[in-house]
Amino acid sequence: MAGRILIADSTATNRIVLKVKLATARYETAQALDGAEALATARDMRPDLVIVDANLPGGGGADLCARLKAEPETRDIPVLVIDGAPSRAARLAALRAGADDYLAKPLDETGLLALVRALMRTRATHDELARRQDTAAALGFAEPAMAFRRPARIGLIAPTVETALGWRRALGPLCSGPLSTFSRSQALDALASREAPDAFVIAADLSAPGDGLRLVSELRSRSATRHAVIVILDEANAPGTVPMALDIGANAVVPGSFDAEEIAARLERLLARKLETDALRDSFGERLGLALRDPLTGLYNRRYAGAYLDRMIGAAAASDQPFAVMLLDLDRFKSVNDSFGHAVGDAVLVEAGKRLGAHLREIDLLARYGGEEFVIALPETGLEGASIAAERLRRVIGEAPIAVASHGLEVPVTISIGVAVFAGGAESGDLPSPHDLIERADAALYASKSDGRNLVSFAGGRAA
């Protein structure tokens, strides 16, 4: 399953229709009939997302949202409010209560699923950083001092300068941080010379239709703005804008004309999560330093990988999600050292690590396990996802030789991979220990080596 979603709606027909839409994307669903049942289920189930009807009995959707956000156990669960009688007042009430988004019925299935994917990605990234913090704490690293949280910087990109200045005048009294206006080219060219905004509000259409969406892709590709909040204003309500914008990296899409109160309410929620995630990311790096990093490749080392696997298994036990572990070994690496020397061998290891890391999700773990071996942990990944990922990584290493510029060499390298998958669910038996996982992946790796190398093999006998 792609994730677990709690549907809170008093009308059986609404719940069934929504369940069917979500089932097409392989989401697992649970249902609640009123606010009290939804809150109790969320505490027990810890879903990846709650979808709640605005008129839910027991206080309404906004009330349930506020109660979920008030409890430590449920505060980080994204909440989507849907409304059969939408209004500006209801939308603002939901957003101010902490809802992550608000949709009007009838629901467009493509847009709904795109929004669900976006909310799931944000939740997964936050949870993964929190898990890494917990891992560091379990290894004895002290919590760093909490840094002063500065006001968030917001960039406005509109079709004309006059429009952008109008947005700034309207948002100014509602936002605590500085507001700046940018043209499209300034957003791409000038940010390197100044501190990048924490958030952007961008019109979907700038000098040409869809320019704003193309800008989203560019901002996501640059390190200074990769983690920025991006809100798209879709004044034209163009078909396909919502799913396209969300799938290329926008955090939210606001249809219709510019509404400063709605934009401010959305930014408040999105920026709070963004700054919290930034703090987790920064403090995690401070806590680890070089102690849990491999000095050659800069990847996590074996000690950290073992502790991380233990935390991942614990999280899987709580959420009933699958996970996978890979052991990867560069084929005939001794011959590289023997033929070209250890300096070239080191360069090959560093580049191999970079290639692998560039083709993993942010929530995945990549560590150097020792020598020419790497270990990869894939949370929330079943057999199919692990198979696709392993084959992609095998090709990434083997499809092109590794250039060692300092020696004028191109070194052909392949990699063998062993994969162990825990499917989740009661039928899967007891959860394995980190040692068991590594042993299973190592046995599969041995099968790949024995069968000719440059292969992917799975614990249990499946090979690719």
Side-chain angles (χ1 to χ4, degrees):
M1 288 292 179
R4 300 186 301 169
I5 298 175
L6 172 60
I7 302 169
D9 194 313
S10 62
T11 304
T13 302
N14 292 343
R15 296 195 305 272
I16 293 169
V17 168
L18 195 51
K19 178 179 179 179
V20 170
K21 290 179 184 293
L22 295 169
T24 62
R26 299 297 187 268
Y27 292 108
E28 177 187 352
T29 58
Q31 301 179 24
L33 306 183
D34 56 35
E37 184 182 6
L39 186 60
T41 303
R43 288 171 179 153
D44 180 61
M45 176 186 177
R46 302 289 178 87
D48 300 298
L49 174 67
V50 176
I51 300 179
V52 55
D53 184 76
N55 300 304
L56 186 73
D63 178 74
L64 174 61
C65 184
R67 293 165 69 188
L68 288 167
K69 300 301 179 181
E71 297 196 9
E73 298 88 349
T74 57
R75 63 180 288 269
D76 293 323
I77 301 173
V79 180
L80 171 60
V81 175
I82 56 176
D83 199 340
S87 67
R88 179 177 182 271
R91 184 169 62 252
L92 289 174
L95 293 170
R96 288 168 176 165
D100 293 84
D101 220 314
Y102 174 99
L103 285 181
K105 297 178 183 178
L107 299 173
D108 171 70
E109 184 171 343
T110 303
L112 169 68
L113 293 177
L115 182 54
V116 168
R117 289 193 295 272
L119 294 173
M120 291 279 197
R121 285 195 300 270
T122 301
R123 168 75 189 276
T125 298
H126 180 274
D127 286 357
E128 175 59 20
L129 288 168
R131 180 157 57 236
R132 295 185 184 189
Q133 284 276 52
D134 290 344
T135 301
L139 288 166
F141 289 86
E143 179 75 34
M146 179 64 80
F148 169 73
R149 181 166 289 184
R150 54 172 175 74
R153 299 178 296 269
I154 301 169
L156 309 174
I157 305 174
T160 66
V161 173
E162 293 76 14
T163 301
L165 292 174
W167 290 2
R168 188 170 71 179
R169 285 192 296 272
L171 278 173
L174 304 175
C175 298
S176 59
L179 294 151
S180 302
T181 61
F182 295 92
S183 68
R184 185 184 187 280
S185 59
Q186 286 173 334
L188 295 176
D189 299 334
L191 293 181
S193 62
R194 69 185 77 182
E195 293 190 57
D198 298 289
F200 291 93
V201 180
I202 306 173
D205 302 327
L206 297 172
S207 59
D211 264 4
L213 303 190
R214 287 185 281 274
L215 179 57
V216 174
S217 295
E218 294 294 336
L219 293 172
R220 285 288 181 240
S221 71
R222 286 160 166 74
S223 59
T225 52
R226 183 164 298 139
H227 302 298
V229 167
I230 299 178
V231 175
I232 292 292
L233 180 65
D234 180 26
E235 291 191 281
N237 287 322
T241 294
V242 171
M244 182 181 298
L246 293 171
D247 281 340
I248 62 178
N251 298 93
V253 180
V254 181
S257 59
F258 184 87
D259 184 330
E261 288 188 76
E262 178 174 352
I263 296 291
R266 287 179 178 273
L267 285 173
E268 181 179 4
R269 173 69 183 159
L270 290 168
L271 281 167
R273 172 58 65 88
K274 190 260 183 190
L275 294 177
E276 181 181 351
T277 301
D278 284 351
L280 283 171
R281 190 179 287 111
D282 293 344
S283 62
F284 175 68
E286 291 173 15
R287 291 171 77 170
L288 292 187
L290 297 176
L292 298 176
R293 295 271 187 184
D294 171 55
L296 174 63
T297 62
L299 302 176
Y300 299 116
N301 61 20
R302 183 172 185 152
R303 179 188 178 200
Y304 179 78
Y308 177 90
L309 290 176
D310 193 53
R311 305 297 295 185
M312 183 181 72
I313 293 167
S319 64
D320 196 27
Q321 290 288 316
F323 57 83
V325 173
M326 300 181 191
L327 271 184
L328 308 88
D329 187 89
L330 295 180
D331 295 325
R332 298 186 174 89
F333 184 72
K334 184 177 183 299
S335 67
V336 175
N337 283 331
D338 291 344
S339 300
F340 305 112
H342 287 279
V344 172
D346 287 351
V348 168
L349 283 171
V350 170
E351 177 59 23
K354 289 179 180 178
R355 289 190 187 183
L356 294 171
H359 289 81
L360 293 170
R361 304 169 298 178
E362 187 174 9
I363 68 170
D364 299 329
L365 173 81
L366 169 63
R368 185 182 179 195
Y369 204 63
E372 64 271 25
E373 273 194 338
F374 300 88
V375 63
I376 293 174
L378 302 164
E380 301 176 17
T381 303
L383 181 63
E384 182 179 0
S387 179
I388 293 170
E391 182 58 28
R392 179 175 66 245
L393 297 175
R394 187 193 65 79
R395 291 197 308 269
V396 159
I397 296 298
E399 66 188 4
I402 291 178
V404 184
S406 61
H407 289 68
L409 294 171
E410 289 194 344
V411 183
V413 179
T414 61
I415 199 164
S416 296
I417 304 176
V419 187
V421 178
F422 180 79
E427 291 123 19
S428 302
D430 295 332
L431 284 163
S433 69
H435 177 73
D436 293 336
L437 277 174
I438 293 296
E439 279 203 336
R440 290 170 56 195
D442 191 46
L445 174 61
Y446 181 79
S448 290
K449 293 285 191 181
S450 299
D451 290 343
R453 299 181 175 84
N454 192 24
L455 295 171
V456 176
S457 297
F458 286 75
R462 176 183 169 182

